[in-house]
Amino acid sequence: MRQTMITRLGALSLVTISLAAGSLTHGASAAAQQTAPVSPSPATAAAPRPEPPAGAEGGLERAYKKEFAFLGAQRRELKQRIEQMDTTAREEASDVGNQIERLEGELLALNAQGDRLQEQLEEAERAADTNAGSRETLEAVFDQAGTTLTKHGHALIDTDDFKALDDEAKIGKLFAVTSNVVSGLSGLRQTPGAFYLRDGTKTSGTVIRVGNIAAYGVSEAGSGALAPAGGGQMKLWTLPAADVAQALARNEQPDPLKVFLYESLDKQVTEDQNQTLLQHVDSGGLIGWLIVALGGLALLLILLRAAFLKSASTSTGDVLNSVGELVKQGDLNKALEECHRSKGSTGRVLAATIRNLDRDREHLEDIVSESILNESGHLNRFGAFILVLAAVAPLLGLLGTVTGMIQTFDIITVFGTGDPKLLSGGISVALVTTELGLAVAIPALVLGHLLSGWSERIKDDMEKAALRVTNLYHQTKAAA
């Protein structure tokens, strides 16, 4: 609108200027017509020009002044009109500006109102979503409450009276019925019922319920704590609680209270199968039993070897003490008899030493070393075999692992991998044999090396005993 007013003012100014220019042109044309000399025609060009009458110059000046006055009046009139039009244009521009400001204010107000309405609409949508979610939650609560109460003999949700109530009344009704059910379930209840015995047979008797979390069964065939058997059925638990069940049937308070707590009777509770040692070994198959047999043989040989070494180690000190005293006394015959009575490796080595005490020392040392070498076979008895068993056991475990994996892949080839129970046999052979092989090899290897070290120490002790007897004999001989 402001642009329109400016256009109108420009057009008006152009009209005014055109009128002024027209007036000036008209005045100039008239003055030119009054003052311009008439061009002589060719026929009259040579005629003499008449002289202007007297007083003509004064009339022309007056005409110019009159025209000038007329133009000045028109100029003032146009100036006034222009000023009026400028005033009018400014007023209209001011009005237009006011209108624009008013319209801008109204636009801002409408925008603010639109924003408020948009926020209200979003709040309404959120409230609607919340109400829808709350409604769904409420319906889920009603369904869950109806399912739970139906299990306890209250078909409240399906009745027409309940459906006709509003939500608040429904919640109040549910709370009231639930409170009654909880009150009824909070104590001991004895009802006739049936349950399964430990051998799987079903018997009838009295079922004593402790709230809704535990139960006991009492019958002539068997009594005790009950556990879920699936499908709402119950069975006797392995925990012996017959005395507790019978005491509760007599309305007595048992101490202690042996109880099996459960959450639901819909899912069966299975007992933990504690695998025995024999069952564990049997899961390894034939190779597992072979490894166990090797382990038993290795254990027997280790015990025998330890007994031999223990006897040899003990006799070394005793024989050295008794024979040493006799050598100090110079009675070599009795010392030799004492060595024969000991009947051990140390006694035989010392006997060979005493018989050759008169020989030179280098020769005597060779004889002692030969005697110790002769006794090494006895001291090293079963040592190499024990180490062989320790090396064979893990190899048999590895063989069992390979065999078990072959069985597993054969089963996968025929039956696929759908049933894990089919794969358990091969996997058991693969893992159990490795376990048994290592269980036999590790202690056999450790004990075998320990016994070998013990045997070497006994040999060193025999060599020291022979050297001790030799030194005592030479000392006694030198003293004499």
Side-chain angles (χ1 to χ4, degrees):
M1 187 174 182
R2 180 176 297 175
Q3 183 68 28
T4 303
M5 292 299 297
I6 294 171
T7 304
R8 290 174 58 188
L9 289 174
L12 183 58
S13 299
L14 291 174
V15 171
T16 304
I17 295 170
S18 298
L19 290 175
S23 298
L24 293 174
T25 305
H26 175 71
S29 298
Q33 289 177 2
Q34 291 177 4
T35 58
V38 180
S39 302
S41 61
T44 61
R49 188 173 185 181
E51 295 290 335
E57 293 182 359
L60 181 58
E61 183 178 357
R62 285 192 301 270
Y64 277 130
K65 289 181 178 181
K66 183 179 179 181
E67 187 65 26
F68 181 79
F70 174 74
L71 293 176
Q74 283 187 345
R75 178 176 177 274
R76 286 190 298 272
E77 181 181 357
L78 291 174
K79 187 176 181 180
Q80 290 177 359
R81 289 174 63 184
I82 290 173
E83 291 177 354
Q84 291 176 358
M85 293 178 68
D86 289 339
T87 302
T88 304
R90 284 194 297 270
E91 292 177 353
E92 291 178 356
S94 178
D95 294 338
V96 170
N98 293 332
Q99 291 179 3
I100 292 174
E101 292 177 357
R102 179 176 57 79
L103 292 175
E104 289 178 350
E106 293 178 356
L107 179 61
L108 293 176
L110 291 175
N111 289 335
Q113 185 178 3
D115 293 339
R116 288 194 299 272
L117 293 176
Q118 182 66 27
E119 293 177 357
Q120 293 176 1
L121 178 60
E122 293 176 356
E123 291 178 359
E125 291 177 353
R126 287 194 295 268
D129 294 339
T130 302
N131 292 333
S134 300
R135 186 63 191 175
E136 292 177 357
T137 303
L138 192 60
E139 291 294 337
V141 171
F142 288 157
D143 293 339
Q144 182 65 31
T147 303
T148 304
L149 292 176
T150 301
K151 294 180 180 179
H152 298 284
H154 294 275
L156 177 64
I157 301 297
D158 298 330
T159 61
D160 296 333
D161 294 337
F162 182 81
K163 293 179 180 179
L165 300 175
D166 56 7
D167 293 338
E168 185 176 358
K170 288 180 180 179
I171 294 174
K173 186 69 174 177
L174 285 176
F175 269 107
V177 174
T178 304
S179 299
N180 294 332
V181 172
V182 172
S183 299
L185 296 176
S186 60
L188 295 176
R189 307 186 312 280
Q190 297 187 19
T191 58
F195 53 89
Y196 292 95
L197 300 176
R198 293 188 181 92
D199 57 1
T201 60
K202 192 173 184 179
T203 183
S204 298
T206 302
V207 176
I208 305 172
R209 299 182 183 273
V210 181
N212 199 33
I213 58 173
Y216 296 88
V218 179
S219 67
E220 295 180 356
S223 302
L226 298 179
Q233 302 295 323
M234 291 181 289
K235 62 180 179 180
L236 283 179
W237 188 240
T238 55
L239 177 69
D243 54 342
V244 176
Q246 294 171 359
L248 292 176
R250 297 190 300 267
N251 293 325
E252 297 178 357
Q253 180 65 39
D255 186 20
L257 180 63
K258 302 175 183 179
V259 62
F260 180 87
L261 301 178
Y262 56 82
E263 183 178 358
S264 174
L265 297 176
D266 298 332
K267 186 177 180 180
Q268 181 181 3
V269 176
T270 57
E271 302 177 8
D272 295 335
Q273 298 294 334
N274 295 324
Q275 196 177 39
T276 62
L277 179 60
L278 294 179
Q279 291 174 342
H280 185 69
V281 174
D282 189 62
S283 63
L286 178 62
I287 297 178
W289 283 110
L290 180 58
I291 294 174
V292 171
L294 291 179
L297 179 59
L299 179 61
L300 177 61
L301 296 179
I302 287 172
L303 293 177
L304 292 176
R305 180 168 167 74
F308 294 153
L309 295 179
K310 178 66 175 175
S311 176
S313 177
T314 302
S315 62
T316 299
D318 296 338
V319 172
L320 178 61
N321 291 332
S322 59
V323 171
E325 291 296 329
L326 293 174
V327 171
K328 283 183 180 181
Q329 297 173 5
D331 194 350
L332 297 181
N333 293 327
K334 288 185 178 180
L336 189 60
E337 292 177 359
E338 184 68 22
C339 291
H340 290 308
R341 279 197 302 269
S342 65
K343 295 181 180 181
S345 299
T346 304
R348 288 191 289 272
V349 171
L350 292 180
T353 303
I354 292 173
R355 283 194 298 268
N356 297 277
L357 286 175
D358 294 335
R359 298 179 180 271
D360 58 279
R361 195 174 187 89
E362 183 177 355
H363 191 194
L364 180 61
E365 290 178 357
D366 292 337
I367 294 173
V368 171
S369 299
E370 182 181 0
S371 299
I372 293 175
L373 288 176
N374 292 331
E375 299 298 328
S376 296
H378 179 73
L379 294 176
N380 293 333
R381 186 183 304 174
F382 305 138
F385 194 36
I386 292 172
L387 296 178
V388 169
L389 293 178
V392 170
L395 295 178
L396 288 176
L398 180 60
L399 176 62
T401 301
V402 175
T403 304
M405 295 306 297
I406 292 174
Q407 294 178 3
T408 302
F409 284 114
D410 289 341
I411 293 174
I412 292 175
T413 302
V414 178
F415 300 101
T417 59
D419 190 358
K421 292 183 179 179
L422 296 176
L423 309 177
S424 60
I427 295 174
S428 296
V429 174
L431 297 180
V432 172
T433 53
T434 303
E435 178 190 15
L436 293 176
L438 294 175
V440 170
I442 292 174
L445 186 63
V446 173
L447 294 177
H449 282 289
L450 290 176
L451 293 176
S452 297
W454 192 3
S455 174
E456 294 298 327
R457 287 195 299 272
I458 292 176
K459 294 177 184 178
D460 293 340
D461 292 340
M462 288 190 296
E463 186 175 0
K464 292 177 182 178
L467 181 61
R468 177 64 178 168
V469 169
T470 302
N471 293 333
L472 291 175
Y473 171 75
H474 286 293
Q475 289 176 1
T476 303
K477 186 176 180 180

